[in-house]
Amino acid sequence: MNTYRFRFNNSNKTSAILIWFFTTLLTITLTTSILLIPSEPCFPIWLLLITIPLMLKAIYRLYKAASGRQSIEIITLSKEGFTSSCFGSVLFSDISSVKIPAREISLLGGEMYDYYKRTELNTPNLVISITTDNGKVLRWVLGEWGGLYNSKEDFSVLFEFLTALTDQLYQLYHDNKPADSYLKILDENGSWEKNSKP
């Protein structure tokens, strides 16, 4: 049994992050206005006793909501399937589709990190998903070169898991023939469905 451990963006709490972001923005603007505008009737100085604690609380809640998006995944791979600490157990035979943004991953021929540095574009957050026969979706969001929620090493561990997973699926559905390249089971768009052919 192989074990894979990595951090990822679970893409939860988006609405909470937006609420606390705008609350933080509002309280910072109000506090700054009270400090900079000397007009006593519009913004009395005693309002600082309310706005400064609100601003600090909003910043703290924004930080907590943003850090809550990071999860630690531990996947244990066996001959029949795998067990995920975040999503539970999944048999290989129960997987109905796999979606990997293959065109964006440099290890699979996508753009290299230098391209994003040179063009000053944001590096993509890659969404990898596995759907089971009962409709359950396992979703991991990572940056290939690291970011706020994962490191480059975390992505390498996930890529090792994806390689092992797709090799197992290939052998399960293609007469135990060994795959001769990375993620051979996927089509050119990075998708695989149980009833499709490679």
Side-chain angles (χ1 to χ4, degrees):
M1 285 204 282
N2 293 335
T3 301
Y4 305 90
R5 179 188 172 96
F6 58 90
R7 294 172 297 148
F8 70 100
N9 177 351
N10 59 31
S11 65
N12 292 336
K13 301 185 178 182
T14 303
S15 58
I17 289 173
L18 288 174
I19 288 169
W20 287 112
F21 174 76
F22 287 114
T23 303
T24 301
L25 197 60
L26 180 67
T27 56
I28 288 173
T29 304
L30 188 57
T31 303
T32 306
S33 298
I34 292 170
L35 288 171
L36 296 179
I37 298 175
S39 174
E40 188 69 31
C42 291
F43 298 111
I45 200 75
W46 59 265
L47 276 178
L48 286 174
L49 296 173
I50 298 170
T51 60
I52 289 178
L54 282 176
M55 178 182 70
L56 295 175
K57 182 174 182 173
I59 291 170
Y60 172 75
R61 297 293 295 187
L62 176 62
Y63 169 76
K64 290 298 282 180
S67 61
R69 289 185 82 163
Q70 183 185 68
S71 293
I72 295 174
E73 176 71 280
I74 301 170
I75 296 175
T76 306
L77 196 66
S78 68
K79 291 182 180 178
E80 296 81 30
F82 63 91
T83 303
S84 160
S85 61
C86 295
F87 302 105
S89 296
V90 177
L91 295 173
F92 295 129
S93 58
D94 290 342
I95 296 174
S96 61
S97 70
V98 177
K99 294 192 185 325
I100 299 169
R103 291 183 176 186
E104 296 177 9
I105 297 175
S106 70
L107 293 169
L108 298 173
E111 300 290 354
M112 300 298 285
Y113 183 60
D114 292 342
Y115 168 81
Y116 294 100
K117 283 176 60 178
R118 187 175 63 251
T119 57
E120 297 182 0
L121 294 174
N122 291 331
T123 55
N125 286 321
L126 307 169
V127 180
I128 293 104
S129 65
I130 297 172
T131 306
T132 62
D133 289 336
N134 64 5
K136 181 178 178 181
V137 178
L138 292 69
R139 182 175 289 118
W140 301 279
V141 181
L142 287 91
E144 185 174 359
W145 299 284
L148 187 60
Y149 300 104
N150 70 280
S151 67
K152 185 176 179 180
E153 291 75 26
D154 291 320
F155 183 82
S156 296
V157 172
L158 174 65
F159 192 80
E160 288 175 23
F161 164 68
L162 294 174
T163 302
L165 171 70
T166 52
D167 284 349
Q168 289 290 335
L169 291 174
Y170 188 85
Q171 290 175 22
L172 181 64
Y173 292 105
H174 298 94
D175 301 327
N176 293 324
K177 296 176 186 173
D180 58 3
S181 64
Y182 278 146
L183 312 178
K184 183 176 180 180
I185 200 167
L186 303 175
D187 65 17
E188 64 276 0
N189 296 318
S191 296
W192 173 83
E193 292 185 14
K194 188 182 281 189
N195 298 326
S196 65
K197 294 181 180 179

